[in-house]
Amino acid sequence: MDDDAIRDLFAGLGPVTIRRMFGGKGIYHQGIVFALLVGGEILLKADAQTAPAFKAAGSRQWVPAGHRGRGPVAMPYWSIPDHAVDDPDEMTLWAHRAFEAGLRSRKK
């Protein structure tokens, strides 16, 4: 997915910036990372407050293989719910949830 497509996907949230990270891209709104592009898939940030909603919507949590000597580690990023991908209003709702999770994690 190119940067213009990412900006279009999150247009309802507002302007986003995109930076390379983790061999993929970090997606930021107002300086807060709220999504990642990893392996061609967009993942949204979640926390204890929002992860249950992602799970209920059928999203998958990102669990990369990990480093040598360590097993897989669940990360606080989830796939976009299928029903949100083609619905700009739903996408905006999930993007706001991810941004709010990013804000909460920054305050810790």
Side-chain angles (χ1 to χ4, degrees):
M1 179 175 277
D2 68 20
D3 290 0
D4 287 336
I6 292 170
R7 287 185 187 95
D8 287 345
L9 184 66
F10 295 115
L13 181 63
V16 298
T17 56
I18 302 160
R19 299 182 199 146
R20 296 192 78 47
M21 68 173 0
F22 301 130
K25 296 178 181 182
I27 304 165
Y28 298 76
H29 176 64
Q30 297 178 0
I32 305 293
V33 65
F34 73 96
L36 301 176
L37 175 67
V38 178
E41 181 178 23
I42 297 280
L43 303 167
L44 299 175
K45 187 161 185 73
D47 60 9
Q49 189 172 332
T50 57
F54 278 94
K55 187 173 184 175
S59 296
R60 298 170 325 283
Q61 187 170 15
W62 181 37
V63 183
H67 298 284
R68 283 185 294 201
R70 291 186 244 163
V73 177
M75 300 298 286
Y77 290 90
W78 291 71
S79 62
I80 297 171
D82 289 339
H83 67 277
V85 174
D86 295 320
D87 183 334
D89 292 333
E90 276 292 311
M91 189 65 243
T92 298
L93 173 74
W94 289 99
H96 275 285
R97 287 178 177 156
F99 176 67
E100 290 165 2
L103 283 173
R104 284 189 295 272
S105 71
R106 194 167 193 194
K107 292 178 182 178
K108 291 182 179 180

